[in-house]
Amino acid sequence: MPFLQTLTTSLSRLWHRTAEILPGVALALIIAIAAHRIIAELTPVISGLLVAVISGIALRTLGWVPWWAESGFGWAAKKLLRAGIVLLGLQLALGDLLGLGWEVLAVVAVTVSVTFFGMLGMGRLFGTPRGTTMLLATGTAICGASAVAAAAAAIDRGDGKDDDGAPVQSAAAAAVAVVTLYGTVAMLALPALGGILGFDQEQMGIWIGASVHEVGQVVAAGGVIGAVALATATLVKLARVVLLAPVVAGISLAGRRGRSTEAESTAGRRPPLVPLFVLGFLAMMALRSGTDLPQSTLDFTADVTTMLLTTAMVGVGAAVDLRRLLRQGGPALLLGGAGTVVAVGTALVGVLLLG
């Protein structure tokens, strides 16, 4: 009887929780489908993730987020993002990345390192909150919105706030908006600048892949130049994505060391040394590298990954009020612009040194 009573109680809680979050998740999914299948396809230079974030921000700013969607939006912004990041690992095969050569991989590593740590330093100079600085640095250095989401999960101390007590989801939404804004600027500017500099398609692919923020933006910019540039840019970009795991693990470890044991006890748990979704990401990458998965499976999981991330971005966007962002987001906008200049400049130096 005690077992049946426990089981009944658990099922009842699961049912109530599902009923609580399902309407909001359904609304976020509908918006994501519209963003990805309609708006993004009509204007392919705009990322579906950006459209989803803007939609969420607009709903919040206009006061149109219904009360029944609040829980579902929050759940999507956290759980679906982590699921999407795990599946993102299936897009990465180590053999393909190693084929780029150590010189190109060195350009990627140096660009990511200089951008990430440079933005951490500039964040203190500009007076940007520490949590926002960490999110912007990760998103700019690695892979845009997905990296911001991964970093947000790592700096969350367990109650939806960072170590300074600031709401993580609001900071993440602002960071996604800033990173996507400047990534779009870089996506449009680099093909034109490459023509002025006289770069060939391979050089352009390396430059774009090593500096433009979103995967979709990299594909759009590389595709404008040609097939060789597109293939090279995509591989170089994926080499940056591989660095998401060690960077997020480092952020999580730094946060763990920075929190006192007493504070962790008060929160009721100790944060994991490496977030589980990062381990899942690495496991999926190992699976892709060690097995010969059918192309149909890879295409399907890529579509699922995109939809998970796009749906989650609606929830992330709904966490920020644009009016408040414009009043208080000056340092974030300044830091995002400076970080983009650092990323583009560092990658340019690397391309010039490669010849």
Side-chain angles (χ1 to χ4, degrees):
M1 291 299 293
F3 170 75
L4 291 178
Q5 185 177 8
T6 301
L7 179 61
T8 302
T9 301
S10 299
L11 290 175
S12 176
R13 289 176 179 173
L14 178 62
W15 169 255
H16 286 298
R17 179 58 177 162
T18 302
E20 181 183 16
I21 67 173
L22 189 58
V25 174
L27 178 58
L29 177 60
I30 291 170
I31 296 173
I33 292 173
H36 182 62
R37 300 297 183 186
I38 301 175
I39 302 176
E41 289 185 6
L42 291 176
T43 54
V45 297
I46 299 178
S47 167
L49 296 179
L50 174 59
V51 175
V53 169
I54 291 176
S55 299
I57 292 175
L59 288 174
R60 177 63 66 190
T61 302
L62 296 173
W64 291 352
V65 177
W67 63 267
W68 46 263
E70 293 284 3
S71 295
F73 277 9
W75 187 87
K78 186 174 183 179
K79 302 297 185 180
L80 294 186
L81 267 175
R82 296 183 181 188
I85 291 168
V86 169
L87 287 180
L88 188 62
L90 283 177
Q91 299 182 26
L92 308 174
L94 288 179
D96 294 338
L97 301 181
L98 293 176
L100 290 170
W102 72 266
E103 300 94 339
V104 175
L105 295 178
V107 170
V108 171
V110 170
T111 301
V112 168
S113 300
V114 170
T115 303
F116 182 80
F117 291 107
M119 291 185 71
L120 294 185
M122 288 188 293
R124 291 190 290 270
L125 179 64
F126 297 156
T128 310
R130 286 191 301 174
T132 302
T133 296
M134 191 70 71
L135 297 176
L136 284 170
T138 309
T140 303
I142 307 292
C143 57
S146 300
V148 170
I155 68 173
D156 190 336
R157 65 188 185 187
D159 58 357
K161 298 181 179 181
D162 61 22
D163 288 333
D164 291 332
V168 172
Q169 289 301 330
S170 296
V176 167
V178 170
V179 168
T180 309
L181 168 65
Y182 288 115
T184 302
V185 172
M187 174 191 72
L188 297 173
L190 262 60
L193 292 175
I196 295 174
L197 294 171
F199 283 171
D200 60 28
Q201 287 203 28
E202 184 176 3
Q203 289 174 310
M204 282 304 304
I206 296 171
W207 191 22
I208 290 170
S211 57
V212 177
H213 306 339
E214 291 279 355
V215 175
Q217 293 166 345
V218 167
V219 170
V224 168
I225 298 169
V228 174
L230 174 59
T232 304
T234 302
L235 277 178
V236 172
K237 180 61 181 178
L238 293 179
R240 284 170 67 191
V241 175
V242 170
L243 296 177
L244 177 65
V247 168
V248 172
I251 292 172
S252 180
L253 180 59
R256 181 188 177 97
R257 289 177 174 173
R259 299 177 189 128
S260 66
T261 303
E262 181 180 353
E264 291 172 353
S265 298
T266 302
R269 67 180 183 89
R270 291 177 65 87
L273 189 61
V274 179
L276 291 179
F277 71 91
V278 174
L279 296 178
F281 172 87
L282 293 174
M284 291 298 101
M285 188 171 66
L287 176 63
R288 170 68 190 278
S289 302
T291 60
D292 187 16
L293 296 174
Q295 188 60 45
S296 59
T297 299
L298 296 176
D299 292 341
F300 174 74
T301 55
D303 289 340
V304 172
T305 301
T306 299
M307 192 51 59
L308 284 172
L309 293 176
T310 307
T311 304
M313 284 298 117
V314 177
V316 169
V320 67
D321 188 319
L322 182 60
R323 294 166 296 184
R324 183 177 180 183
L325 173 63
L326 293 177
R327 287 196 305 266
Q328 304 176 0
L333 289 168
L334 183 60
L335 178 59
T340 300
V341 171
V342 170
V344 170
T346 305
L348 175 59
V349 172
V351 172
L352 292 173
L353 290 176
L354 289 177

